[in-house]
Amino acid sequence: MLRINCPFCGLRDHHEFTYGGDATVERPALSERSMEAWYQYVFVRTNPAGWMQEYWQHTGGCRAWLVVERNTRTHEIGATHLARDRITEVDRG
Amino acid sequence: MQAYSAWNLFTHALRGHKQWPEAWRKRAPKSGYDAIIVGGGGHGLATAYYLARNHGIRNVAVLEKGWIGGGNVGRNTTIVRSNYMIGGNTPFYEWSMKLWEGLAHDLNFNVMLSQRGHMILAHSADQLHAFTRKANTMRAHGIDAEILDRDALLREVPYLNDAPDARFRFHGAIVQRRGGTARHDAVAWGYARAADRLGVEIIENCAVEDFIVEGGRIKGVETSQGTIRAERVGLAVAGHSSELGRKLDLELPIESHVLQAFVTEPVKPLVDHVIAFGAELFYLSQSDKGGLVFGGSIDGYNSYAARGNLPIVHNVAELACAVAPCFSRLRLLRHWGGVMDMSMDGSPIISKTPIDNLYFNGGWNYLGFKATPASGWTFAHTIANDAPHELNACYSLDRFRHGVQLDEEGTGPFPRLH
């Protein structure tokens, strides 16, 4: 069982969470007209073997979206923080 | 190399079966080949075999980082079927099914194909209607498909849980009688042996560490056993496609996920078919040794660890008991995991790549084992002709760029949902 440390709820089993995939993928600005940029966002993944940043939502708890560092080779879990604290370039405009 | 036949079996029996030659020769790599296949799983071996058999390209090496049969070809639930509905998938998997039907003779190796019938259970009238549409599509392509109503299903599979308080009662099923199982190890060994007989060199314990690309064209590979040059290189390393793709700057619409399988203690014959539950992803069959073989969903998060997690173990056990409460007292003997390429549309990729003479085969999701013969057949064609076969043209790597994905389940670009 993976155990994820939710900043609000504490250490919880991963089946309380819903997986949201690679957290390093950034959605282009809605005004972006380049098909290439959208292709990269929707389909292309780096799929790292090792440490990965990924989204998990605590659907069985506080419902917060988290960014969790996890090792895809060992399932070891590293730092966890709130997704809203991760301000992206697109958010900054 | 000696053919397997009744006469040879008899003569070797007289000698205590101590003088059978090895099924394929142990090889050290040469400095160059006409073609290299990276990955000695079912698909890589099948590709090498059909390159030699169909296209006369025999100066071929298959490079396997571990040993033959040690990867996903030996980790699946051994199901073969061709009950797919959307364009492209229907003819591809049917060609695979046809190849399965002649495979043991073709390879001179008993792959123990057992066409015991594959059925998917329907738990609502609407689901049965959807299955009827699928069955009609299959029949229009000349594939056998049958719809069983509730009474016919319960007559044929009497142990299903049809109690009045059952959560998922049965409205019927779609059946493909030609579907069933094959012995997965035999598929790997059979293709390896047959390819070896045609001159293909199978090199085990040879990990590809890097690639030689000159002027946008592949020229060979760097391996743990030295540099090997080749005019053409095919990748068939599903599960680890992204790791090799990274060395080539290939952009891949793939995530690696772990898929578990389970086997129970052996019991007397009970499950005559391959049965897929219709309310959630769960499928089972009974092995020749008597163990029930269970499969379920992927664990649902990216993983390169070939071991699964407890929620899926629970889930699969619960679904088994929902299908048939008589399974509840069986003990699971083993469970294991395999690392799958999950593609963004749930369909495979058999394709040319942006690098000349480099070809890619991967993204197999749940589909790899049943597709082994057709995958090898069409990938060999793609490599030999530098152009896809008509059956794999739809599986191009650039379909994602052009919006022509093949999403059989209709779940969108989310690998964990396929």
Side-chain angles (χ1 to χ4, degrees):
Chain A
M1 190 75 76
L2 308 179
R3 306 199 80 195
I4 295 172
N5 194 10
C6 173
F8 294 115
C9 310
L11 200 59
R12 309 302 282 253
D13 289 346
H14 83 272
H15 69 240
E16 292 186 12
F17 296 79
T18 303
Y19 190 59
D22 190 335
T24 62
V25 177
E26 289 200 13
R27 187 172 64 198
L30 287 177
S31 57
E32 177 61 62
R33 284 160 178 260
S34 153
M35 285 299 286
E36 179 62 25
W38 287 102
Y39 163 72
Q40 294 283 339
Y41 166 64
V42 175
F43 293 118
V44 176
R45 295 292 178 267
T46 53
N47 192 19
W51 286 99
M52 177 174 182
Q53 283 188 39
E54 55 194 15
Y55 289 121
W56 290 83
Q57 188 189 16
H58 196 184
T59 37
C62 63
R63 302 196 64 79
W65 277 99
L66 311 176
V67 174
V68 177
E69 288 178 9
R70 190 177 58 86
N71 191 311
T72 59
R73 286 188 187 279
T74 63
H75 294 174
E76 184 186 355
I77 297 212
T80 303
H81 42 268
L82 290 175
R84 70 186 184 201
D85 293 341
R86 188 172 163 279
I87 306 297
T88 66
E89 291 301 315
V90 173
D91 294 329
R92 287 194 197 96
Chain B
M1 196 67 60
Q2 209 165 17
Y4 294 150
S5 65
W7 173 250
N8 279 334
L9 189 64
F10 174 73
T11 56
H12 278 280
L14 296 178
R15 287 173 278 172
H17 292 299
K18 288 185 177 154
Q19 287 169 37
W20 283 105
E22 57 194 346
W24 61 88
R25 288 161 281 188
K26 300 291 175 202
R27 304 277 199 171
K30 296 191 298 199
S31 61
Y33 294 88
D34 292 342
I36 287 174
I37 306 298
V38 183
H43 293 237
L45 294 167
T47 303
Y49 171 67
Y50 291 120
L51 269 176
R53 174 191 183 273
N54 294 355
H55 305 283
I57 300 173
R58 297 183 174 206
N59 184 20
V60 175
V62 177
L63 309 182
E64 165 54 45
K65 76 173 173 183
W67 66 95
I68 297 303
N72 287 345
V73 71
R75 289 169 183 264
N76 53 74
T77 49
T78 77
I79 297 168
V80 298
R81 60 189 172 95
S82 61
N83 50 359
Y84 291 84
M85 194 173 76
I86 63 172
N89 282 347
T90 314
F92 179 84
Y93 289 101
E94 175 58 11
W95 178 236
S96 209
M97 193 70 234
K98 288 202 168 89
L99 291 174
W100 279 115
E101 287 173 326
L103 198 60
H105 285 287
D106 191 16
L107 299 181
N108 180 235
F109 202 107
N110 186 2
V111 298
M112 296 169 74
L113 177 70
S114 164
Q115 294 179 291
R116 57 186 71 180
H118 177 279
M119 57 172 64
I120 313 174
L121 308 174
H123 304 280
S124 69
D126 293 338
Q127 196 171 18
L128 194 58
H129 289 160
F131 286 168
T132 306
R133 179 177 170 227
K134 178 190 271 215
N136 288 338
T137 305
M138 289 165 62
R139 286 177 174 188
H141 282 80
I143 304 169
D144 68 305
E146 208 176 300
I147 293 290
L148 297 184
D149 65 14
R150 176 189 156 73
D151 292 342
L153 171 65
L154 293 172
R155 255 198 318 276
E156 193 169 335
V157 194
Y159 55 83
L160 292 175
N161 180 16
D162 195 53
D165 62 345
R167 172 65 185 85
F168 298 105
R169 299 191 70 189
F170 303 101
H171 284 248
I174 179 172
V175 186
Q176 184 182 23
R177 299 282 175 200
R178 290 159 64 233
T181 60
R183 185 178 176 202
H184 49 193
D185 299 317
V187 175
W189 300 333
Y191 271 120
R193 175 171 168 273
D196 179 275
R197 293 176 87 183
L198 294 178
V200 170
E201 301 195 359
I202 295 163
I203 301 159
E204 295 170 85
N205 300 307
C206 182
V208 168
E209 293 163 348
D210 212 342
F211 295 87
I212 305 165
V213 180
E214 292 166 4
R217 190 182 181 95
I218 193 84
K219 287 292 182 186
V221 295
E222 303 283 357
T223 76
S224 55
Q225 296 191 34
T227 302
I228 312 173
R229 296 186 75 86
E231 283 306 305
R232 286 174 273 205
V233 175
L235 303 181
V237 294
H240 298 271
S241 294
S242 298
E243 285 184 278
L244 284 188
R246 228 183 305 288
K247 299 177 195 296
L248 289 154
D249 294 325
L250 275 186
E251 291 176 343
L252 295 175
I254 286 172
E255 292 181 357
S256 294
H257 286 250
V258 61
L259 177 60
Q260 302 189 57
F262 307 82
V263 65
T264 71
E265 60 190 325
V267 290
K268 288 188 173 179
L270 170 67
V271 179
D272 297 329
H273 314 82
V274 178
I275 293 182
F277 195 46
E280 225 183 301
L281 192 54
F282 170 70
Y283 33 97
L284 78 145
S285 62
Q286 188 165 17
S287 77
D288 293 335
K289 281 192 284 189
L292 300 192
V293 181
F294 295 156
S297 302
I298 52 173
D299 276 35
Y301 47 80
N302 287 35
S303 176
Y304 284 90
R307 60 190 156 82
N309 226 317
L310 277 175
I312 291 290
V313 181
H314 274 153
N315 181 248
V316 164
E318 285 167 357
L319 293 170
C321 297
V323 170
C326 63
F327 297 159
S328 66
R329 284 179 290 167
L330 288 173
R331 284 165 292 191
L332 286 177
L333 273 192
R334 295 185 289 129
H335 78 114
W336 62 95
V339 181
M340 328 295 293
D341 272 12
M342 296 299 291
S343 69
M344 294 305 253
D345 64 355
S347 292
I349 297 159
I350 306 174
S351 177
K352 296 175 66 170
T353 70
I355 297 167
D356 289 343
N357 289 13
L358 176 78
Y359 307 92
F360 181 84
N361 178 323
W364 282 102
N365 299 273
Y366 296 90
L367 312 168
F369 181 67
K370 65 183 73 68
T372 304
S375 169
W377 185 284
T378 57
F379 196 39
H381 180 103
T382 306
I383 294 170
N385 297 292
D386 193 37
H389 188 278
E390 61 178 347
L391 286 172
N392 70 306
C394 58
Y395 296 142
S396 71
L397 183 55
D398 64 3
R399 69 178 183 269
F400 299 91
R401 200 181 281 279
H402 300 299
V404 283
Q405 299 92 271
L406 282 162
D407 191 345
E408 181 93 21
E409 301 293 326
T411 45
F414 303 103
R416 64 187 177 281
L417 301 182
H418 288 300

